[in-house]
């Protein structure tokens, strides 16, 4: 994607902050222009209104999230536990690195108008499907023992998503430690049992 002009970047950044702090419904186009330091006519040159800005922010956030997940998955093999670890790691790092973007993606989809909502729902399903495929494969291979794979998937996604709402970079837990904790929690949720451990138990 080509770099946006400075004025357009300022508008997107201002809209992102306003939507995050005030919510989409409570934010006016004038608030965004004032925060960006541009005139209303300059804003309307790039975007027709709040809805176009929201769509641009959601698309940008989802594209960046999928890129992070794809890169993480490309670095591991076919083992379901490794792939689940990759997805959780990418999700945790994305939520901590981009809390404002994450919050908007997770909370403002409901503000989309019908012509944009269907595409957003498909992207939501794509994100969920990445976890579903990994967990179902782990269950099929007998290394994830949870009898409730759908509930496990929802639980893992929900705990990763919630990080954007509470994590602080100056808090007591750094990102690497948080990744380790959440990977461990995810493997507990799916009841991961390595093949070697199960062979040892049978012996």
């Amino acid at each position: 994607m080509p770099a946006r002009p400075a004025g357009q970047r300022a508008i997107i950044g201002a809209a992102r902050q306003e939507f995050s702090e005030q919510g989409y419904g409570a934010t006016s186009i004038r608030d965004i222009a004032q925060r960006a330091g541009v005139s209303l006519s300059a804003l309307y040159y790039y975007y027709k209104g709040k809805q176009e800005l929201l769509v641009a922010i959601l698309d940008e956030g989802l594209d960046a999230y999928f890129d992070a997940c794809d890169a993480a998955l490309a670095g591991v093999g076919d083992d379901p536990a490794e792939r689940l670890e990759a997805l959780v790691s990418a999700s945790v790092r994305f939520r901590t690195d981009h809390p404002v973007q994450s919050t908007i993606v997770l909370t403002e989809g409901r503000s989309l108008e019908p012509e944009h909502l269907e595409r957003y729902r498909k992207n939501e399903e794509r994100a969920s499907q990445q976890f579903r495929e990994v967990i179902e494969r782990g269950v099929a291979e007998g290394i994830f023992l949870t009898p409730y794979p759908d509930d496990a998937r929802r639980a893992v996604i929900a705990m990763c998503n919630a990080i954007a709402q509470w994590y602080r970079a100056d808090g007591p837990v750094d990102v690497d430690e948080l990744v380790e904790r959440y990977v461990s929690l995810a493997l507990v949720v799916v009841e991961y049992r390595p093949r070697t451990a199960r062979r040892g138990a049978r012996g």
Side-chain angles (χ1 to χ4, degrees):
M1 178 184 295
R4 294 187 176 104
Q8 188 179 10
R9 291 199 304 272
I11 292 166
I12 282 283
R16 190 183 294 122
Q17 289 299 135
E18 288 290 331
F19 293 162
S20 174
E21 294 170 9
Q22 309 296 331
Y24 177 83
T27 297
S28 72
I29 205 74
R30 191 175 297 277
D31 293 332
I32 297 169
Q34 184 175 5
R35 186 164 193 156
V38 302
S39 65
L40 283 173
S41 60
L43 189 152
Y44 285 124
Y45 174 79
Y46 292 111
Y47 300 99
K48 293 178 182 178
K50 281 200 309 179
Q51 186 69 192
E52 270 200 8
L53 275 164
L54 178 60
V55 170
I57 290 168
L58 291 175
D59 284 348
E60 183 180 75
L62 287 165
D63 286 348
Y65 174 71
F66 288 132
D67 285 348
C69 289
D70 290 346
L73 289 171
V76 298
D78 293 331
D79 180 75
E82 289 184 5
R83 295 185 74 77
L84 181 59
E85 178 176 353
L87 283 174
V88 171
S89 298
S91 297
V92 171
R93 292 189 186 280
F94 188 83
R95 300 301 176 217
T96 55
D97 289 345
H98 307 284
V100 173
Q101 211 166 22
S102 294
T103 298
I104 295 170
V105 168
L106 295 170
T107 62
E108 292 297 353
R110 64 181 182 272
S111 301
L112 288 170
E113 293 170 2
E115 62 265 34
H116 304 299
L117 185 58
E118 182 178 359
R119 182 162 56 90
Y120 176 76
R121 295 299 184 207
K122 287 180 179 177
N123 277 325
E124 277 193 321
E125 176 56 27
R126 176 186 168 189
S128 184
Q129 183 65 18
Q130 287 182 312
F131 281 90
R132 180 182 292 112
E133 289 175 355
V134 169
I135 292 173
E136 288 182 352
R137 182 171 178 179
V139 170
E141 292 185 10
I143 62 170
F144 296 164
L145 302 186
T146 176
Y148 313 113
D150 276 344
D151 294 303
R153 170 184 53 81
R154 283 188 285 267
V156 171
I157 292 172
M159 74 179 188
C160 291
N161 287 348
I163 291 171
Q165 299 173 346
W166 64 262
Y167 181 78
R168 296 293 178 270
D170 58 355
V173 182
D174 66 25
V175 175
D176 289 339
E177 172 63 21
L178 194 65
V179 167
E180 289 298 320
R181 292 184 185 185
Y182 273 62
V183 167
S184 295
L185 287 169
L187 293 175
V188 169
V189 169
V190 298
E191 298 186 36
Y192 172 51
R193 298 293 184 274
R195 293 182 178 88
T196 53
R198 289 186 288 111
R199 283 199 297 268
R202 287 197 299 267

